[in-house]
Amino acid sequence: MIDAYEDPGTPDVRGGWRYLWWLVRCQPGRSVAGALLGSTWMVLLAATPYLMAKAIDEGLEPGDWSALSGWCFALFAVGSFNAWLSIMRHRTMTRVRMDANFRTVKVVVGQAVRLGAALSRRTGAGEVVTIGVGDVQTIAQALTVVGPGVGACVAYLTVAALLVSVSPVLAAVVLLGIPALVVLVGPFLSRLQGAETEYRNRQGVLTARIADLAGGLRVLNGLGGKSLVADAFHRDSQHLRTQGYRVGAVTSWVQALGVGLPTLFLAVVTWLAARLAAQGDITVGELVAVYGYVAVLVGPVAFWVECGYQLSRGVVAARRVVDFLRLEPLEDKGTRDAPAEPSALHDPESGVTILPARLTALTSAHPTDTATILDRLARYTPSRATWAGVPLDEIRLPQIRERILLADHEADLFAGTLGEMIAPHRGAGNCATSHNEPAAALHAAVADDIAQALPDGLDSQMDAQARNLSGGQRQRIRLARALLANPEVLLAVEPTSALDAHTEALVAERLRITRTGRTTALTTTSPLVLDHADTVLYLVDGKLAATGTHQQLLAQEPGYRALVARDVEVVK
């Protein structure tokens, strides 16, 4: 089975079927072993009625007790050996499925890491969660076809050959009847694929809505929007339930036919064999053997239907994984070096220029406009933005990432100690000197009280996304992490939006001191922060409308004053 640190290989993303075949090819020895064990197990199931027929014809009917004893012992030996084979087959197939499961998890996680910050811009959180929770298991289960599926084919051919020696008529009925049963189930499997695809898509949408609710329930409740979102969730969940009923209806027909048709076929063949035995064309032992052979075939037919069902669902899941693996991060065509000295960043689309070694604030009535500008200046979206007059798209991306940091106010916080959360690149076992750096960053972000309140300080264990902290505390932790990175250019999106006025004023003051001599740009509408900025850029509809200090814009721009002024005396 794949090791936790083993390279999972390069997946085949040309389609769902090719991805499933790639999972089989990644473990050829185990797959072949599963097929051999499954085939031998099913063939020996067919040997049971053969041995029973011999015991009746050669031992029981003529009264030869030694022959009867011999054939009975052979039955016991074959049954015991087959029981052991069944155990080994199950173990092997469990390893096949687990390998496929872990391998898919690794390639999906690797792709998520590869996409990096582009992940949220390429797909929704619900899609990734649905893949990890449901699709991975479905894909692994589909590989059942490797063992019992192959074994069913071998057992079918073996039983057909045995029936030829008993009665060509019965052999012809079995050879033609079994494929006919599988063909009857085929249309339902096609319908299942379509219904399952629609169900998975709706499930991804609903999972994304659940993630949004979990992250913003407190804010929604405060704004009075909880009922609106709850109604939308209820509507989506009802659609998902309706689609689930469609999937269940098709599945019930597939499973019913998988059990009912082979049983009906068994009855027909047994009736034909009984007539042949009554006419003297076959012996009583052969009649028992025919019944046993056909009874054994119920298993392979049921496996075929089950494998078809699992493959139909597995292909749907594999296609979703393949679609995710096909996503590409922001393409890097840059061949030029970044400017050697601190230089200005310019966004022609909005007219915004971020001067070096200054604290610049961007403000707008629409926060998404300012956040989009920072996205372009950090090169997370294609644009005509420049750095020292050089288009950002032409500069090598690693150099941009090394010197320009975009600090999103909703950036992920990973579980671990507080020190690891703030300084993940330093890892565990920080020395005393390195402990001082996070402490300084926490102080600059006015977050030192958070560490002091925790039982073990920087060594305190934190939940994923720091859920054991309040929204304002999480925001200050994110800011501390960005300040600790100490990039040449820091672009911060709404770094104080969840803070009270007193804390916000302290953050603005310490941020200015901490970032002295370095380029900093942030988006905000808070006058407490804007008053500490060297330059304030006022935007209207995503375009630069005015530039100046906070006080200058208050006096000269009525729109700016209406947007940011919180003191009615200032408005006068």
Side-chain angles (χ1 to χ4, degrees):
M1 197 157 48
I2 184 171
D3 184 80
Y5 301 100
E6 183 183 342
D7 180 11
T10 303
D12 192 335
V13 296
R14 289 177 291 178
W17 288 108
R18 289 183 179 272
Y19 181 81
L20 293 177
W21 179 237
W22 171 75
L23 290 175
V24 175
R25 288 189 289 109
C26 285
Q27 40 183 335
R30 195 177 294 119
S31 298
V32 171
L36 289 175
L37 289 170
S39 300
T40 307
W41 171 65
M42 285 199 173
V43 168
L44 288 181
L45 288 178
T48 300
Y50 173 81
L51 294 173
M52 189 176 297
K54 289 293 186 181
I56 292 172
D57 288 342
E58 297 182 11
L60 185 61
E61 188 173 356
D64 188 344
W65 296 107
S66 61
L68 180 61
S69 301
W71 288 115
C72 287
F73 178 78
L75 270 170
F76 174 77
V78 169
S80 300
F81 180 67
N82 220 22
W84 177 81
L85 279 179
S86 179
I87 295 172
M88 300 308 297
R89 173 195 61 82
H90 182 75
R91 287 183 178 178
T92 303
M93 291 311 305
T94 299
R95 290 189 174 96
V96 169
R97 290 190 292 268
M98 291 180 68
D99 185 281
N101 188 318
F102 295 151
R103 198 175 297 273
T104 300
V105 167
K106 291 198 70 170
V107 296
V108 169
V109 172
Q111 171 71 347
V113 172
R114 175 171 169 262
L115 290 173
L119 176 61
S120 59
R121 297 168 173 83
R122 295 288 190 271
T123 187
E127 182 71 12
V128 181
V129 172
T130 302
I131 289 174
V133 173
D135 292 335
V136 170
Q137 294 287 348
T138 304
I139 289 171
Q141 194 64 34
L143 294 196
T144 300
V145 71
V146 173
V150 174
C153 296
V154 175
Y156 167 70
L157 296 175
T158 302
V159 170
L162 290 172
L163 282 173
V164 169
S165 64
V166 175
S167 171
V169 175
L170 291 175
V173 171
V174 171
L175 285 172
L176 296 176
I178 296 297
L181 298 183
V182 177
V183 170
L184 287 174
V185 181
F188 289 95
L189 297 178
S190 299
R191 286 185 58 190
L192 179 63
Q193 277 198 40
E196 186 81 19
T197 300
E198 178 66 21
Y199 179 81
R200 290 293 184 182
N201 291 336
R202 289 187 181 276
Q203 189 179 39
V205 171
L206 191 64
T207 306
R209 196 176 293 280
I210 292 173
D212 293 340
L213 280 171
L217 188 59
R218 183 182 299 177
V219 176
L220 288 170
N221 194 35
L223 296 175
K226 185 171 66 173
S227 60
L228 180 65
V229 178
D231 290 341
F233 176 81
H234 180 265
R235 184 176 59 254
D236 289 343
S237 64
Q238 293 305 306
H239 291 160
L240 181 64
R241 185 182 68 173
T242 301
Q243 187 62 30
Y245 286 155
R246 294 195 184 102
V247 174
V250 180
T251 301
S252 64
W253 275 104
V254 170
Q255 294 179 343
L257 291 174
V259 175
L261 288 179
T263 303
L264 181 61
F265 182 73
L266 172 63
V268 171
V269 174
T270 303
W271 178 77
L272 289 175
R275 286 183 59 86
L276 292 174
Q279 295 169 2
D281 294 332
I282 62 175
T283 65
V284 175
E286 289 174 332
L287 172 61
V288 173
V290 169
Y291 175 83
Y293 293 151
V294 181
V296 166
L297 281 181
V298 172
V301 174
F303 271 120
W304 280 339
V305 175
E306 177 68 16
C307 288
Y309 168 67
Q310 296 292 352
L311 280 175
S312 297
R313 301 180 70 238
V315 169
V316 172
R319 286 170 182 163
R320 292 170 63 87
V321 171
V322 164
D323 289 341
F324 178 72
L325 296 178
R326 284 175 177 170
L327 298 177
E328 291 294 334
L330 187 64
E331 189 176 7
D332 183 16
K333 295 183 178 179
T335 57
R336 303 175 65 175
D337 289 328
E341 301 295 331
S343 305
L345 284 166
H346 178 64
D347 177 40
E349 189 171 335
S350 63
V352 165
T353 298
I354 308 297
L355 298 176
R358 295 177 67 84
L359 176 59
T360 305
L362 287 73
T363 188
S364 170
H366 304 288
T368 54
D369 291 342
T370 52
T372 300
I373 292 170
L374 294 192
D375 254 12
R376 293 197 291 261
L377 293 176
R379 197 182 148 185
Y380 282 107
T381 56
S383 69
R384 295 181 291 115
T386 62
W387 192 9
V390 179
L392 278 174
D393 289 343
E394 297 181 9
I395 300 175
R396 293 183 176 89
L397 188 59
Q399 295 186 14
I400 294 176
R401 294 288 178 263
E402 182 180 354
R403 297 173 59 183
I404 301 177
L405 172 63
L406 177 63
D408 195 316
H409 67 298
E410 294 182 348
D412 290 321
L413 295 170
F414 298 100
T417 66
L418 179 60
E420 293 168 346
M421 184 173 285
I422 298 172
H425 56 289
R426 285 167 170 77
N430 295 331
C431 63
T433 304
S434 63
H435 260 72
N436 293 333
E437 297 175 1
L442 286 170
H443 178 74
V446 196
D448 36 6
D449 62 308
I450 300 174
Q452 293 168 4
L454 294 171
D456 298 318
L458 289 173
D459 295 324
S460 299
Q461 288 294 324
M462 307 296 292
D463 295 341
Q465 303 298 349
R467 292 189 181 92
N468 49 335
L469 301 179
S470 68
Q473 289 175 322
R474 287 195 293 270
Q475 192 168 54
R476 284 182 283 159
I477 290 297
R478 291 185 177 100
L479 179 59
R481 182 173 63 181
L483 293 175
L484 182 60
N486 196 26
E488 178 184 320
V489 180
L490 174 61
L491 308 176
V493 179
E494 299 287 347
T496 63
S497 60
L499 307 182
D500 60 79
H502 174 70
T503 306
E504 192 174 37
L506 281 175
V507 168
E509 179 183 347
R510 294 181 186 179
L511 177 64
R512 180 182 177 87
I513 296 172
T514 303
R515 294 289 299 171
T516 298
R518 315 220 83 180
T519 305
T520 307
L522 53 86
T523 68
T524 185
T525 57
S526 168
L528 297 173
V529 179
L530 292 167
D531 195 38
H532 285 82
D534 297 313
T535 305
V536 177
L537 306 179
Y538 172 52
L539 293 100
V540 177
D541 296 329
K543 305 293 182 183
L544 182 63
T547 303
T549 65
H550 174 59
Q551 297 300 327
Q552 289 173 341
L553 293 178
L554 281 176
Q556 300 170 7
E557 289 291 330
Y560 177 84
R561 185 166 59 249
L563 174 65
V564 305
R566 300 178 183 177
D567 186 346
V568 293
E569 297 298 327
V570 175
V571 177
K572 296 177 181 177

